[in-house]
Amino acid sequence: MPIYCLLQNMPMGPEEISRLTTAYEQALRTIGLVDRNDPIAEMVAKKIIEIGQTGVRDPADISALAIKELGVQ
């Protein structure tokens, strides 16, 4: 599931959406996940959004934190 589906109904501006989608794409590249329909992709997307809502603003930091918190190699 692409992160875009989860972000559709969230009250976020274009800058925040861009930041989160960048972090999501970076996280998937880092873990080598290509299939956006893989359940892990949805887990990553939800974690990216969760971390983004804590105030972390740098996409690279959001991506790294998501991968670390999910324990994905």
mmCIF file of all heavy atoms in Angstrom, residues 1 5-6 8 15 17-20 25 28-29 33 36-38 44-45 47 49-50 53 58-59 66-68:
data_model
loop_
_atom_site.group_PDB
_atom_site.id
_atom_site.type_symbol
_atom_site.label_atom_id
_atom_site.label_comp_id
_atom_site.label_asym_id
_atom_site.label_seq_id
_atom_site.Cartn_x
_atom_site.Cartn_y
_atom_site.Cartn_z
ATOM 1 N N MET A 1 0.850 -1.183 0.000
ATOM 2 C CA MET A 1 0.000 0.000 0.000
ATOM 3 C C MET A 1 0.891 1.240 0.000
ATOM 4 O O MET A 1 1.706 1.414 0.887
ATOM 5 C CB MET A 1 -0.872 0.007 1.248
ATOM 6 C CG MET A 1 -1.436 1.369 1.568
ATOM 7 S SD MET A 1 -2.263 1.465 3.136
ATOM 8 C CE MET A 1 -3.790 0.683 2.709
ATOM 9 N N CYS A 5 -2.138 6.590 0.037
ATOM 10 C CA CYS A 5 -3.482 6.176 0.451
ATOM 11 C C CYS A 5 -3.742 6.539 1.909
ATOM 12 O O CYS A 5 -4.838 6.939 2.264
ATOM 13 C CB CYS A 5 -3.657 4.669 0.257
ATOM 14 S SG CYS A 5 -3.564 4.142 -1.455
ATOM 15 N N LEU A 6 -2.729 6.397 2.738
ATOM 16 C CA LEU A 6 -2.891 6.712 4.155
ATOM 17 C C LEU A 6 -2.929 8.220 4.399
ATOM 18 O O LEU A 6 -3.566 8.678 5.345
ATOM 19 C CB LEU A 6 -1.748 6.097 4.966
ATOM 20 C CG LEU A 6 -1.668 4.577 4.974
ATOM 21 C CD1 LEU A 6 -0.391 4.115 5.666
ATOM 22 C CD2 LEU A 6 -2.880 3.979 5.669
ATOM 23 N N GLN A 8 -4.175 10.535 2.383
ATOM 24 C CA GLN A 8 -5.306 11.200 1.721
ATOM 25 C C GLN A 8 -6.210 11.960 2.683
ATOM 26 O O GLN A 8 -6.619 13.074 2.413
ATOM 27 C CB GLN A 8 -6.169 10.185 0.987
ATOM 28 C CG GLN A 8 -5.643 9.758 -0.332
ATOM 29 C CD GLN A 8 -6.592 8.763 -0.985
ATOM 30 O OE1 GLN A 8 -7.769 8.743 -0.676
ATOM 31 N NE2 GLN A 8 -6.072 7.940 -1.856
ATOM 32 N N GLU A 15 3.890 20.417 2.085
ATOM 33 C CA GLU A 15 5.275 20.264 2.526
ATOM 34 C C GLU A 15 5.436 19.033 3.426
ATOM 35 O O GLU A 15 6.380 18.255 3.268
ATOM 36 C CB GLU A 15 5.727 21.514 3.279
ATOM 37 C CG GLU A 15 7.190 21.471 3.690
ATOM 38 C CD GLU A 15 7.602 22.736 4.424
ATOM 39 O OE1 GLU A 15 7.362 23.842 3.888
ATOM 40 O OE2 GLU A 15 8.156 22.602 5.516
ATOM 41 N N ILE A 17 3.419 16.388 3.548
ATOM 42 C CA ILE A 17 3.169 15.201 2.731
ATOM 43 C C ILE A 17 4.414 14.852 1.928
ATOM 44 O O ILE A 17 4.817 13.697 1.852
ATOM 45 C CB ILE A 17 1.938 15.409 1.818
ATOM 46 C CG1 ILE A 17 0.673 15.424 2.679
ATOM 47 C CG2 ILE A 17 1.866 14.324 0.745
ATOM 48 C CD1 ILE A 17 -0.586 15.818 1.939
ATOM 49 N N SER A 18 5.048 15.863 1.345
ATOM 50 C CA SER A 18 6.267 15.635 0.579
ATOM 51 C C SER A 18 7.375 15.057 1.458
ATOM 52 O O SER A 18 8.078 14.125 1.059
ATOM 53 C CB SER A 18 6.725 16.955 -0.050
ATOM 54 O OG SER A 18 7.949 16.780 -0.710
ATOM 55 N N ARG A 19 7.519 15.600 2.653
ATOM 56 C CA ARG A 19 8.542 15.123 3.583
ATOM 57 C C ARG A 19 8.312 13.655 3.939
ATOM 58 O O ARG A 19 9.235 12.841 3.946
ATOM 59 C CB ARG A 19 8.531 16.005 4.829
ATOM 60 C CG ARG A 19 9.556 15.657 5.853
ATOM 61 C CD ARG A 19 9.658 16.655 7.011
ATOM 62 N NE ARG A 19 8.397 17.117 7.547
ATOM 63 C CZ ARG A 19 7.882 18.339 7.380
ATOM 64 N NH1 ARG A 19 8.519 19.228 6.657
ATOM 65 N NH2 ARG A 19 6.736 18.673 7.920
ATOM 66 N N LEU A 20 7.063 13.296 4.227
ATOM 67 C CA LEU A 20 6.749 11.926 4.621
ATOM 68 C C LEU A 20 6.877 10.950 3.454
ATOM 69 O O LEU A 20 7.358 9.829 3.632
ATOM 70 C CB LEU A 20 5.348 11.853 5.230
ATOM 71 C CG LEU A 20 5.174 12.617 6.547
ATOM 72 C CD1 LEU A 20 3.731 12.513 7.034
ATOM 73 C CD2 LEU A 20 6.131 12.127 7.616
ATOM 74 N N GLU A 25 9.801 6.561 0.737
ATOM 75 C CA GLU A 25 10.532 6.022 -0.406
ATOM 76 C C GLU A 25 11.969 5.682 -0.027
ATOM 77 O O GLU A 25 12.501 4.655 -0.432
ATOM 78 C CB GLU A 25 10.501 7.008 -1.578
ATOM 79 C CG GLU A 25 9.127 7.232 -2.173
ATOM 80 C CD GLU A 25 8.499 5.993 -2.790
ATOM 81 O OE1 GLU A 25 9.244 5.093 -3.247
ATOM 82 O OE2 GLU A 25 7.266 5.908 -2.808
ATOM 83 N N LEU A 28 11.996 2.426 2.056
ATOM 84 C CA LEU A 28 11.790 1.233 1.234
ATOM 85 C C LEU A 28 13.034 0.910 0.409
ATOM 86 O O LEU A 28 13.396 -0.260 0.265
ATOM 87 C CB LEU A 28 10.574 1.411 0.328
ATOM 88 C CG LEU A 28 9.223 1.518 1.031
ATOM 89 C CD1 LEU A 28 8.097 1.582 0.008
ATOM 90 C CD2 LEU A 28 8.985 0.384 2.006
ATOM 91 N N ARG A 29 13.695 1.935 -0.121
ATOM 92 C CA ARG A 29 14.951 1.716 -0.855
ATOM 93 C C ARG A 29 16.009 1.112 0.067
ATOM 94 O O ARG A 29 16.735 0.199 -0.317
ATOM 95 C CB ARG A 29 15.473 3.017 -1.452
ATOM 96 C CG ARG A 29 14.913 3.353 -2.803
ATOM 97 C CD ARG A 29 15.694 4.466 -3.492
ATOM 98 N NE ARG A 29 15.908 5.643 -2.666
ATOM 99 C CZ ARG A 29 15.041 6.644 -2.529
ATOM 100 N NH1 ARG A 29 13.889 6.611 -3.174
ATOM 101 N NH2 ARG A 29 15.317 7.679 -1.773
ATOM 102 N N LEU A 33 12.859 -3.002 -0.453
ATOM 103 C CA LEU A 33 11.488 -3.429 -0.716
ATOM 104 C C LEU A 33 10.946 -2.715 -1.948
ATOM 105 O O LEU A 33 10.885 -1.487 -1.984
ATOM 106 C CB LEU A 33 10.598 -3.137 0.498
ATOM 107 C CG LEU A 33 9.189 -3.680 0.442
ATOM 108 C CD1 LEU A 33 9.203 -5.203 0.381
ATOM 109 C CD2 LEU A 33 8.408 -3.236 1.653
ATOM 110 N N ARG A 36 5.080 -2.468 -3.360
ATOM 111 C CA ARG A 36 4.328 -1.564 -2.476
ATOM 112 C C ARG A 36 3.097 -2.239 -1.876
ATOM 113 O O ARG A 36 2.478 -1.703 -0.972
ATOM 114 C CB ARG A 36 3.898 -0.302 -3.224
ATOM 115 C CG ARG A 36 5.047 0.522 -3.791
ATOM 116 C CD ARG A 36 6.000 0.941 -2.684
ATOM 117 N NE ARG A 36 6.959 1.935 -3.120
ATOM 118 C CZ ARG A 36 8.215 1.689 -3.444
ATOM 119 N NH1 ARG A 36 8.674 0.463 -3.410
ATOM 120 N NH2 ARG A 36 9.026 2.651 -3.796
ATOM 121 N N ASN A 37 2.738 -3.425 -2.375
ATOM 122 C CA ASN A 37 1.598 -4.156 -1.824
ATOM 123 C C ASN A 37 2.014 -5.124 -0.720
ATOM 124 O O ASN A 37 1.170 -5.773 -0.118
ATOM 125 C CB ASN A 37 0.857 -4.910 -2.930
ATOM 126 C CG ASN A 37 0.201 -3.950 -3.898
ATOM 127 O OD1 ASN A 37 -0.397 -2.970 -3.489
ATOM 128 N ND2 ASN A 37 0.339 -4.224 -5.179
ATOM 129 N N ASP A 38 3.298 -5.207 -0.458
ATOM 130 C CA ASP A 38 3.817 -6.048 0.612
ATOM 131 C C ASP A 38 3.334 -5.479 1.948
ATOM 132 O O ASP A 38 3.361 -4.266 2.148
ATOM 133 C CB ASP A 38 5.349 -6.038 0.567
ATOM 134 C CG ASP A 38 5.974 -7.049 1.503
ATOM 135 O OD1 ASP A 38 5.635 -7.031 2.702
ATOM 136 O OD2 ASP A 38 6.803 -7.837 1.049
ATOM 137 N N VAL A 44 5.709 0.135 7.247
ATOM 138 C CA VAL A 44 6.675 1.222 7.124
ATOM 139 C C VAL A 44 5.942 2.548 6.971
ATOM 140 O O VAL A 44 6.279 3.539 7.626
ATOM 141 C CB VAL A 44 7.649 0.982 5.944
ATOM 142 C CG1 VAL A 44 8.503 2.217 5.664
ATOM 143 C CG2 VAL A 44 8.527 -0.228 6.209
ATOM 144 N N ALA A 45 4.921 2.585 6.131
ATOM 145 C CA ALA A 45 4.158 3.815 5.905
ATOM 146 C C ALA A 45 3.533 4.319 7.203
ATOM 147 O O ALA A 45 3.622 5.513 7.531
ATOM 148 C CB ALA A 45 3.073 3.581 4.861
ATOM 149 N N LYS A 47 4.468 3.699 10.253
ATOM 150 C CA LYS A 47 5.524 4.120 11.178
ATOM 151 C C LYS A 47 6.093 5.473 10.754
ATOM 152 O O LYS A 47 6.363 6.332 11.595
ATOM 153 C CB LYS A 47 6.628 3.063 11.245
ATOM 154 C CG LYS A 47 7.720 3.360 12.237
ATOM 155 C CD LYS A 47 7.221 3.569 13.658
ATOM 156 C CE LYS A 47 6.838 2.286 14.345
ATOM 157 N NZ LYS A 47 6.524 2.511 15.790
ATOM 158 N N ILE A 49 4.496 7.871 9.212
ATOM 159 C CA ILE A 49 3.499 8.878 9.590
ATOM 160 C C ILE A 49 3.555 9.130 11.095
ATOM 161 O O ILE A 49 3.540 10.275 11.556
ATOM 162 C CB ILE A 49 2.094 8.451 9.138
ATOM 163 C CG1 ILE A 49 2.014 8.469 7.603
ATOM 164 C CG2 ILE A 49 1.027 9.359 9.748
ATOM 165 C CD1 ILE A 49 0.784 7.801 7.026
ATOM 166 N N GLU A 50 3.643 8.057 11.856
ATOM 167 C CA GLU A 50 3.705 8.167 13.313
ATOM 168 C C GLU A 50 4.910 9.011 13.744
ATOM 169 O O GLU A 50 4.792 9.920 14.570
ATOM 170 C CB GLU A 50 3.797 6.767 13.921
ATOM 171 C CG GLU A 50 3.903 6.726 15.424
ATOM 172 C CD GLU A 50 4.092 5.298 15.912
ATOM 173 O OE1 GLU A 50 3.387 4.392 15.428
ATOM 174 O OE2 GLU A 50 4.959 5.100 16.784
ATOM 175 N N GLN A 53 4.653 12.715 12.912
ATOM 176 C CA GLN A 53 3.754 13.463 13.786
ATOM 177 C C GLN A 53 4.389 13.822 15.127
ATOM 178 O O GLN A 53 3.816 14.586 15.894
ATOM 179 C CB GLN A 53 2.461 12.676 13.999
ATOM 180 C CG GLN A 53 1.631 12.590 12.738
ATOM 181 C CD GLN A 53 0.406 11.706 12.888
ATOM 182 O OE1 GLN A 53 0.383 10.785 13.691
ATOM 183 N NE2 GLN A 53 -0.614 11.989 12.096
ATOM 184 N N ASP A 58 13.304 15.978 9.303
ATOM 185 C CA ASP A 58 14.206 15.567 8.239
ATOM 186 C C ASP A 58 13.812 14.183 7.706
ATOM 187 O O ASP A 58 13.737 13.223 8.484
ATOM 188 C CB ASP A 58 15.637 15.528 8.767
ATOM 189 C CG ASP A 58 16.631 15.128 7.694
ATOM 190 O OD1 ASP A 58 16.606 15.758 6.617
ATOM 191 O OD2 ASP A 58 17.407 14.191 7.926
ATOM 192 N N PRO A 59 13.538 14.066 6.403
ATOM 193 C CA PRO A 59 13.123 12.769 5.847
ATOM 194 C C PRO A 59 14.120 11.641 6.124
ATOM 195 O O PRO A 59 13.709 10.508 6.390
ATOM 196 C CB PRO A 59 13.009 13.043 4.348
ATOM 197 C CG PRO A 59 12.720 14.495 4.249
ATOM 198 C CD PRO A 59 13.494 15.120 5.382
ATOM 199 N N ALA A 66 12.231 5.001 11.526
ATOM 200 C CA ALA A 66 11.208 4.000 11.197
ATOM 201 C C ALA A 66 11.819 2.616 11.035
ATOM 202 O O ALA A 66 11.306 1.641 11.581
ATOM 203 C CB ALA A 66 10.455 4.411 9.933
ATOM 204 N N ILE A 67 12.916 2.544 10.316
ATOM 205 C CA ILE A 67 13.586 1.264 10.098
ATOM 206 C C ILE A 67 14.077 0.705 11.427
ATOM 207 O O ILE A 67 13.890 -0.487 11.715
ATOM 208 C CB ILE A 67 14.758 1.434 9.096
ATOM 209 C CG1 ILE A 67 14.197 1.730 7.708
ATOM 210 C CG2 ILE A 67 15.636 0.186 9.077
ATOM 211 C CD1 ILE A 67 15.243 2.187 6.719
ATOM 212 N N LYS A 68 14.643 1.560 12.241
ATOM 213 C CA LYS A 68 15.147 1.118 13.550
ATOM 214 C C LYS A 68 14.013 0.618 14.444
ATOM 215 O O LYS A 68 14.110 -0.440 15.048
ATOM 216 C CB LYS A 68 15.889 2.266 14.228
ATOM 217 C CG LYS A 68 16.473 1.907 15.575
ATOM 218 C CD LYS A 68 17.191 3.088 16.178
ATOM 219 C CE LYS A 68 17.704 2.713 17.574
ATOM 220 N NZ LYS A 68 18.351 3.865 18.223
#
